[in-house]
Amino acid sequence: MKKIITILSLIILIVSCGSSKKVTTRKSKQKTVRVVKNTNQTKGDTPKEEAVIVEETIKETPEVYANKTEEYIAIYSDIAQDEMRNYGIPASITLAQGILESASGQGRLSVEANNHFGIKCHEWTGAKIYHDDDASQECFRKYKNSKYSFRDHSLFLTERKRYAKLFLLEKDDYKGWAKELRAAGYATDRKYPDKLISLIERYQLYRFDADVLGKQTTSNDKHTVVKGDTLYSLSKKYNISIDQLKSLNGLENNDLFIGQVLYVKPIPKDF
């Protein structure tokens, strides 16, 4: 009888040990091991194996941008490309105007009214915001979301006859578009076309036009920063001045970070 009891006890012990293990995982980038003690064990019982639960948590790494303009481009380039597909306005022009008019998304109208293009009320029946511009406390359109500002910009250009000549230009002729915008009366600043072209060249915004049109952009050398890189070493490697590198990439200081992508081809000076 004692032998039978002993055999049964061994069987129970083996089964309980085999079933007490539990391993669970959740998709993530960081693992944490947690040991759970067996609380059902009674006095005199043989100690059972503790459960090991492997937990994984997601730890997000924020994107790092060289400046606010780079961040603006990353956020709104997809919207600008969608508007180009729907209305034929070069994404490069839309982005450059947005950057210029909204101070890279930091201006009051863009922050408080999601108005990235300084479009005034005119016949607008929606929400409004008042802001000093050409005159004191002028009326500007206020949007619930920035994407509606981009759509209104597209409609503003396509629905007014004075901008009709724009749509006779090639969709990747950003220089022609910049000049014709001013000629059609979009802006009174004589340097407005040059400012747009400068932004487009500086940040290679024409690559978004090429993407929509299914074209390849003109070769623009890029360099991904690795450990040990400095602006000085890169200037020597690519035969470009430090000031040109900083200007080309919108850098405000000499700091670089590993993985940062830099443009290392000088800006063309034919405009």
Side-chain angles (χ1 to χ4, degrees):
M1 186 67 180
K2 289 183 179 180
K3 289 183 178 180
I4 294 173
I5 294 174
T6 302
I7 292 171
L8 290 174
S9 298
L10 288 172
I11 293 172
I12 293 171
L13 178 61
I14 292 171
V15 171
S16 63
C17 288
S19 62
S20 63
K21 278 188 178 181
K22 182 181 180 183
V23 180
T24 59
T25 59
R26 288 179 293 178
K27 186 178 180 181
S28 109
K29 297 179 181 179
Q30 184 176 352
K31 293 184 179 180
T32 303
V33 177
R34 179 162 58 93
V35 178
V36 180
K37 293 184 178 180
N38 188 346
T39 57
N40 295 323
Q41 182 177 317
T42 59
K43 187 176 180 180
D45 286 348
T46 302
K48 297 181 179 180
E49 186 176 342
E50 297 174 340
V52 178
I53 299 177
V54 180
E55 296 180 334
E56 296 185 352
T57 55
I58 297 175
K59 184 178 180 181
E60 295 184 357
T61 303
E63 294 286 345
V64 179
Y65 300 99
N67 52 51
K68 290 296 182 181
T69 302
E70 291 281 7
E71 184 177 12
Y72 186 93
I73 294 167
I75 294 172
Y76 297 108
S77 58
D78 285 347
I79 296 176
Q81 287 184 303
D82 284 340
E83 294 304 305
M84 181 177 180
R85 293 184 185 99
N86 292 325
Y87 294 94
I89 302 167
S92 60
I93 287 292
T94 299
L95 284 170
Q97 285 191 281
I99 292 168
L100 189 60
E101 302 287 348
S102 74
S104 297
Q106 304 303 298
R108 178 174 178 256
L109 288 178
S110 59
V111 172
E112 298 183 18
N114 290 315
N115 189 333
H116 288 244
F117 300 93
I119 299 179
K120 297 180 181 179
C121 288
H122 302 300
E123 299 176 358
W124 180 253
T125 58
K128 304 175 178 66
I129 185 174
Y130 294 88
H131 181 74
D132 292 345
D133 192 50
D134 295 328
S136 176
Q137 291 300 288
E138 291 191 87
C139 183
F140 290 84
R141 301 181 183 189
K142 185 175 183 178
Y143 306 93
K144 292 182 179 180
N145 189 293
S146 295
K147 66 181 180 182
Y148 300 122
S149 174
F150 279 77
R151 175 55 51 87
D152 215 12
H153 170 264
S154 297
L155 295 174
F156 187 85
L157 295 181
T158 56
E159 294 179 351
R160 287 166 173 75
K161 291 183 179 180
R162 61 175 172 159
Y163 297 117
K165 289 184 179 180
L166 286 167
F167 298 91
L168 300 177
L169 299 170
E170 295 293 332
K171 297 300 181 286
D172 54 359
D173 181 13
Y174 59 86
K175 293 181 182 179
W177 276 76
K179 294 171 183 177
E180 183 58 36
L181 272 170
R182 199 247 168 194
Y186 191 95
T188 57
D189 184 357
R190 292 182 180 179
K191 294 184 178 180
Y192 191 75
D194 290 336
K195 290 177 180 179
L196 294 183
I197 293 170
S198 178
L199 284 169
I200 292 169
E201 294 284 358
R202 180 176 183 178
Y203 294 101
Q204 286 79 35
L205 301 181
Y206 45 72
R207 69 187 188 271
F208 299 111
D209 301 338
D211 183 44
V212 172
L213 297 173
K215 297 180 179 180
Q216 291 186 348
T217 57
T218 303
S219 178
N220 286 279
D221 294 338
K222 298 178 183 179
H223 175 88
T224 301
V225 175
V226 298
K227 185 176 181 180
D229 280 344
T230 65
L231 288 180
Y232 177 77
S233 66
L234 294 179
S235 70
K236 295 298 182 184
K237 181 176 181 178
Y238 294 104
N239 193 29
I240 182 174
S241 71
I242 292 176
D243 287 340
Q244 283 180 309
L245 273 175
K246 293 175 70 173
S247 176
L248 184 61
N249 294 281
L251 301 178
E252 298 176 354
N253 52 51
N254 294 341
D255 296 335
L256 300 177
F257 57 87
I258 295 175
Q260 182 177 8
V261 177
L262 299 176
Y263 293 99
V264 292
K265 182 178 179 180
I267 301 173
K269 298 184 180 298
D270 57 348
F271 63 87

